[in-house]
Amino acid sequence: MLLSITFVVFCTDLRAESLHSGKEPDSAYLFSYASLKDGGRNGLHFAWSVDEKDWHAIGPEHSYVRCDYGTWGAQKRMLAPFLFFGPDKLWHCVWSVNEADGVVAHAASKDLVYWERQSYPILMQKGNCLFPTISFDTKSQQFVIAWMSKKGDDSADYVSHTKDFKNYSPVEPTAKNGIDSRQTIRIGEMEESGTVHKVSWHVIETVLKAAQHAAYEQQLWSEKTADDAHRFASLKPVDAHIKINKNEGKKISDLLMGVFFEDINYAADGGLYAELIQNRDFEYRLSDKKGKDSTWNSYKAWTLKGEGTLKIDSVAPLHQNNAHYAVFNVEQTGASLVNEGFDGIPVKAGERYNFSLFVKAQKGINNLLIRLIDKEGTVLGAINMRDIKGEWKKYEATILAKRGASDAYLEIIPQETGSLALDMISLFPEKTFKGRKNGLRADLAQAIADLHPRFVRFPGGCVAHGDGLENMYRWPHTIGPLESRIPQRNLWNYHQTAGLGYFEYFQFCEDIGAEPVPVVPAGVPCQNSSAGGAGQQGGIPLEEMDAYIQEVLDLIEYANGDVNTEWGSKRAAAGHPKPFYLKYIGIGNEDLISDIFEERFTMIFNKVKEKYPEITVIGTVGPSFKGTDYTEGWNIANQLQVPMVDEHYYQSPGWFIHNQTYYDKYDRNRTKVYLGEYAAHLPGRPNNLETALAEALHLTSLERNGDVVSMASYAPLLAKENHTQWNPDLIYFNNTEVKPTAGYFVQQLYGQHAGDTYLPTELKLSNNEDAVKKRLATSVVLDSKTGDVIVKIVNLLPVSTHVVLDLQSLGILSTEALKIALTGNPTDKDVKPNRSKILVRDDFKDELPAYSFTVFRFQTK
């Protein structure tokens, strides 16, 4: 195959470059540095030389470890790394994280390839830490960390000692910045600064092989269907004979297919949450939206028309948790307060809309006219609210829309001059999902329900643990009367009202027959935080952990407790006296696995296990399928015997093609897997049939390994057009349309045609080339509730596949079966499955098109 030839050339070229004489030296020089051309954001690199004159970049510039300090983009920097080989036989690397923070980062490695946990001790409360070095004091048997702190033209040197890189001695000034043996060496066209070590050739060979292996994997994983015409130039249609062995079936999880909801891409406010008024409580703040958007404030989405004034006040609020309200002073009748909604307010002719607001009469105004109007000012529907008086009081009415518009406005028009205070101005369509009050947008909720998810993970990934400690998602802030809930900045750079709160999440799960899977922070904020000093290294102070753990325990009581319990009574007061029967709870979300994380996760896990042993706790193993967080997270899970862990990965279609055996090697008797976030991505391209088929391919392996992988959910779920922070997503939408992607239909077919028993198959192909075998996959499951046998076949080849299904082992089947096929060109975005009925015989045959996913459902008599 072309790929293997390319790999041989790559390895040969690298080895020829490495060994001038063809003979391996006994030792060589290793140069470690972080490239300056990208601001240090590409991590630690190596180069080698036999004479300290001719230097060869490895990779070139393969990243062996990257800094995980601070937020995306602006941070994640490794500056002036210093490498040291310690008496503990470990390589230690220290570096600066930026030019401002008083942090020295540290990581250690046995082989310079796998690096243990990173830590970011704050050594300077005031001042920065630049050009750190590390040495070892044999007298005190401690490592010595030294650095320079600089402010303007003034600089000073400091030092601290540590034995374990967890506890550090008080910082002391020193006359000399350690033993700074950094050298400046030209690598290609750049001069780089770093450390040089003379090492055995084995060390060089180890890092060379790591770079070679990474390059080979990247080459495989970058395969695209756009190259198929060349890759499969001579390929003929493939014959596939599939034999099903019903007698050797194994039980698999019946919760495999689920959904993960996160408030990203305006998925909640302006999306799934059916509220049509934006900034209904006047609580938008400049701090919600980091940047220079000065319009993002308490007046956002509101406009004053006519003779009057609008003022945001906080002297006598409706509720202390919603401090701001509007004071509307009308100087001449006809003045109005107008809300633009979220990209307008969608109104359908003939439908009813529930309007409400809190009013405190101040002077003269007793009557309000409430109107829905289109851009031309045409009235779509209107109601009068009379006899406004007294202190804060809620007023409600229903508006019948006589005309429709996709981008209407709401007008509040006082009928007298004077002033009044307004808050919690709300408009909901009467037709919410299941008719729920404070409910969900019906078409979006139905699109999720149609996936037939067995569980719903909420309230988010990064949203859950938040941007710094103060921004963690605290579930008690999201229940109770709407005016008492605590809104806050969304980590994805907008405002979240908490109108869609924990009660609504639980209710939605119940409405669609899905298990609720709430995720709470593990006592640490998001590793990508832009607030809180040392990135995720800031954890909830230990003296506050008992109170936080009780908050987690209270959540379980809120979901499951009797109405006579403190939190069960709050659930009952919200209208649900019966328990929600919570069985699963996630602790943490793809966290940086640090000592601080482990300490807090362990505390929470042990308390939940002690009080609620029936609850399945789901741990976390980082944001990737490999690496330090993955390995360290699994180590913690094994030590604590965590029943399930949450894995995440977003990869190319090529990765999914070449990793179909990923879970085959997992221990069947230990911690189970929840694949909480995954998707196939093509850089710069939307979700299309190619990515959808790559995901379908992976899902065949998840079903095969359904005894290990208990749950899986694509991410992200929802994205509002023109408001996306992340692409691609499963379902796109605007105010009036829901736009499922090709990937959506793959998820739907797996969700609607799931099973609880996996039936092994024998697959024989007329073409046994590896590339062909990896692009044809099958999964056969039995649904014990219906007795149906479901066969799924993915054909990611540019030619058709002639399938022969041996059905004899399945017993007597009905003479008709359901066939569902999703097919098209790989670049197609708008594809939908076709359904048909087909005749069934023992020697069942069919032709599957190129680039297709086909489901056969055989019904037993």
Side-chain angles (χ1 to χ4, degrees), residues 114 117 166 593-595 597-599 601-602 605-606 609 619-621 628 630-645 670-671:
Y114 175 77
R117 301 177 188 182
K166 298 178 181 180
I593 307 299
S594 65
D595 295 337
F597 164 84
E598 180 176 11
E599 186 174 40
F601 175 86
T602 302
F605 174 76
N606 286 339
K609 184 179 178 181
T620 180
V621 295
T628 301
Y630 175 84
T631 301
E632 296 291 319
W634 267 103
N635 287 342
I636 293 171
N638 291 333
Q639 291 165 14
L640 296 177
Q641 296 184 323
V642 178
M644 194 180 300
V645 296
R670 299 178 76 174
T671 298

Side-chain angles (χ1 to χ4, degrees), residues 458-640:
F458 61 86
C462 290
V463 162
H465 51 188
D467 187 8
L469 291 173
E470 298 303 316
N471 191 241
M472 285 182 176
Y473 194 102
R474 309 299 285 266
W475 78 268
H477 296 177
T478 74
I479 63 170
L482 297 179
E483 64 271 18
S484 72
R485 299 185 186 186
I486 302 177
Q488 68 175 20
R489 172 181 181 263
N490 183 296
L491 173 139
W492 297 107
N493 214 29
Y494 54 91
H495 182 87
Q496 55 190 41
T497 64
L500 175 53
Y502 259 67
F503 180 84
E504 290 74 27
Y505 284 123
F506 279 121
Q507 183 71 77
F508 179 53
C509 291
E510 185 176 84
D511 283 342
I512 65 175
E515 296 286 352
V517 184
V519 180
V520 298
V524 291
C526 180
Q527 72 271 30
N528 302 302
S529 292
S530 58
Q536 191 181 349
Q537 284 303 294
I540 292 176
L542 289 176
E543 61 270 21
E544 299 176 16
M545 277 300 295
D546 284 346
Y548 177 71
I549 293 170
Q550 186 59 51
E551 184 177 304
V552 176
L553 299 176
D554 291 343
L555 169 58
I556 300 172
E557 183 177 283
Y558 178 78
N560 295 349
D562 185 85
V563 294
N564 296 317
T565 63
E566 177 185 0
W567 291 95
S569 67
K570 294 179 186 294
R571 183 195 67 244
H576 201 284
K578 290 184 179 180
F580 284 119
Y581 303 107
L582 178 67
K583 300 173 186 174
Y584 303 89
I585 186 169
I587 300 176
N589 170 72
E590 63 177 40
D591 299 279
L592 177 73
I593 307 299
S594 65
D595 295 337
I596 291 176
F597 164 84
E598 180 176 11
E599 186 174 40
R600 284 152 182 76
F601 175 86
T602 302
M603 294 170 69
I604 303 168
F605 174 76
N606 286 339
K607 286 292 185 179
V608 172
K609 184 179 178 181
E610 176 186 339
K611 185 166 184 180
Y612 296 106
E614 72 279 9
I615 296 292
T616 297
V617 172
I618 304 172
T620 180
V621 295
S624 182
F625 65 97
K626 64 177 181 179
T628 301
D629 295 331
Y630 175 84
T631 301
E632 296 291 319
W634 267 103
N635 287 342
I636 293 171
N638 291 333
Q639 291 165 14
L640 296 177

